[in-house]
Amino acid sequence: MNLVSEKLLNILEDEIKKFNKELNKDVKLVDFEHLEADLKSINDEIDKEKVFFSEELSLIDVGMKCIGTLIFWIGEHDHFIAGNWTKEEYERINQTFQGLLTQLTNGLIGISKLIERGLDYQARVLFRNLAEMSWLTLVLIYDEEWLRMYIQGDKYEKYFRPYKIRNKLNEIENATELPQSIKDELNKNRKQIYKFYSEILHNTYPYPILGAMVKRINGEENLALSLFGKITRYSSRTIHEVNTCIYLFILMFYRALGTLHKLKVEGENDEYFASKSIILMNTFIKGYQASLSKSEKAD
């Protein structure tokens, strides 16, 4: 059996001997090697099929790098948030946004890796957390009062329940000059994501059961059990919704940096990170819009 740990291999061999002796069986180590061969076959199939989503996943990769580079940019500014804050509060605010943006960046990496490994259902569970964190981050950068409450740490249950965060974000968007049709679409999109992915996260019947059955990308119409992972056509929806989440987040976040907080490029290091972040942002936006056009033509 292909175990990296010699200690575990020894334990396994001992357990085989005990099992055989107590129940008069004849289980051999080679039986477990057959299981390893089956798993390798599944993984080889996944490696061949995951290229099906390589172009779509590359857009998530650009968005991930955009947000990740943004962290270094705001990290160059001790006072990148407008308002009257103490030195200690500024330090906590900087740590807060770097922490939230880091979790968003790493969450995108995790989602991509899960999809590439044929674990779409698990990617959707992670996406639910990522989407909600992106909404929270936007509320905090737009509203000074909510930011003050958040960094105090002891009022989370009272003020930061998911529905309150969504309602606050609706209020923020309604105060912008965005067309009403876009505002309505944003609100509708958040409600749909929260409802659908919450039911997945909380294992509401029948989502875990249905989520274990997937449509293959090889053209077969019959559903297949996704045991140990399988690349599925369902991932197209997951990837699209993840990219939509990134798109809406970076549009609103960069808008806040420029219009509310007047973040400017100042030093040499600052310019290095800001330039990369802005270029990646524009690349993602155009790539996302191109993907929508491609999708409309396909329909």
Side-chain angles (χ1 to χ4, degrees):
M1 188 173 180
N2 184 26
L3 284 177
V4 175
S5 170
E6 184 177 346
K7 181 179 179 180
L8 281 177
L9 182 57
N10 292 334
I11 293 173
L12 176 62
E13 290 176 331
D14 287 342
E15 290 302 313
I16 291 173
K17 292 176 182 177
K18 289 178 184 178
F19 184 86
N20 288 337
K21 182 178 180 180
E22 291 175 4
L23 298 176
N24 194 28
K25 299 294 183 180
D26 189 27
V27 178
K28 296 181 174 62
L29 185 61
V30 69
D31 296 323
F32 294 90
E33 292 173 350
H34 293 159
L35 175 60
E36 288 294 326
D38 291 339
L39 290 173
K40 184 179 184 305
S41 177
I42 292 172
N43 290 335
D44 289 343
E45 190 173 18
I46 289 172
D47 286 338
K48 290 178 183 177
E49 294 182 345
K50 70 182 182 181
V51 297
F52 183 84
F53 294 115
S54 59
E55 183 175 345
E56 295 172 83
L57 287 171
S58 67
L59 190 55
I60 292 182
D61 185 67
V62 173
M64 175 274 294
K65 290 173 181 173
C66 169
I67 296 172
T69 311
L70 180 62
I71 298 170
F72 293 109
W73 181 17
I74 65 174
E76 293 292 322
H77 295 262
D78 294 333
H79 302 162
F80 82 94
I81 290 290
N84 296 317
W85 306 90
T86 66
K87 180 181 177 181
E88 291 75 17
E89 287 173 332
Y90 271 123
E91 290 176 354
R92 187 174 297 177
I93 288 169
N94 200 287
Q95 291 171 351
T96 296
F97 280 101
Q98 288 196 42
L100 289 170
L101 293 172
T102 294
Q103 298 296 359
L104 288 174
T105 301
N106 292 348
L108 291 171
I109 295 173
I111 289 170
S112 294
K113 295 296 184 184
L114 287 169
I115 291 173
E116 284 185 325
R117 184 56 186 75
L119 301 172
D120 182 76
Y121 189 87
Q122 286 66 37
R124 292 181 176 199
V125 171
L126 180 54
F127 175 54
R128 160 63 165 70
N129 173 268
L130 182 137
E132 191 172 301
M133 191 176 298
S134 73
W135 304 335
L136 169 65
T137 306
L138 289 176
V139 166
L140 295 182
I141 199 167
Y142 271 89
D143 193 282
E144 180 178 330
E145 182 182 356
W146 278 57
L147 179 56
R148 286 189 184 277
M149 289 189 297
Y150 188 75
I151 63 174
Q152 290 173 6
D154 59 347
K155 299 183 179 181
Y156 191 88
E157 284 298 321
K158 183 176 180 180
Y159 292 99
F160 293 92
R161 293 185 178 277
Y163 77 93
K164 291 188 176 182
I165 293 173
R166 297 197 308 276
N167 289 342
K168 184 61 181 180
L169 195 49
N170 290 340
E171 178 186 318
I172 290 169
E173 289 168 351
N174 287 333
T176 69
E177 297 178 355
L178 291 170
Q180 189 60 46
S181 60
I182 294 180
K183 295 175 184 177
D184 293 341
E185 186 63 29
L186 289 172
N187 186 24
K188 179 182 175 183
N189 176 265
R190 277 193 296 273
K191 284 182 178 179
Q192 289 176 338
I193 287 177
Y194 186 80
K195 183 178 185 302
F196 178 67
Y197 288 94
S198 289
E199 290 172 336
I200 289 176
L201 179 67
H202 298 300
N203 299 311
T204 305
Y205 184 85
Y207 287 95
I209 294 84
L210 294 178
M213 305 300 295
V214 299
K215 278 190 176 181
R216 305 293 303 278
I217 64 168
N218 58 11
E220 294 181 7
E221 289 302 319
N222 293 333
L223 295 177
L225 188 65
S226 61
L227 181 64
F228 300 124
K230 275 186 174 60
I231 300 296
T232 169
R233 280 181 264 174
Y234 296 154
S235 290
S236 286
R237 172 179 176 174
T238 308
I239 296 170
H240 171 70
E241 291 182 342
V242 172
N243 280 325
T244 299
C245 182
I246 299 172
Y247 176 73
L248 298 175
F249 175 78
I250 63 176
L251 283 179
M252 292 290 289
F253 196 87
Y254 277 84
R255 181 183 179 277
L257 288 180
T259 60
L260 293 180
H261 304 292
K262 312 298 182 183
L263 186 62
K264 297 179 181 179
V265 179
E266 296 175 354
E268 184 176 338
N269 290 336
D270 189 22
E271 182 176 1
Y272 176 83
F273 295 121
S275 299
K276 284 180 170 50
S277 185
I278 292 170
I279 290 171
L280 285 168
M281 175 192 69
N282 291 329
T283 300
F284 179 88
I285 289 173
K286 291 183 179 179
Y288 176 78
Q289 292 170 342
S291 73
L292 293 182
S293 300
K294 182 179 177 181
S295 177
E296 289 173 358
K297 289 179 181 178
D299 293 339

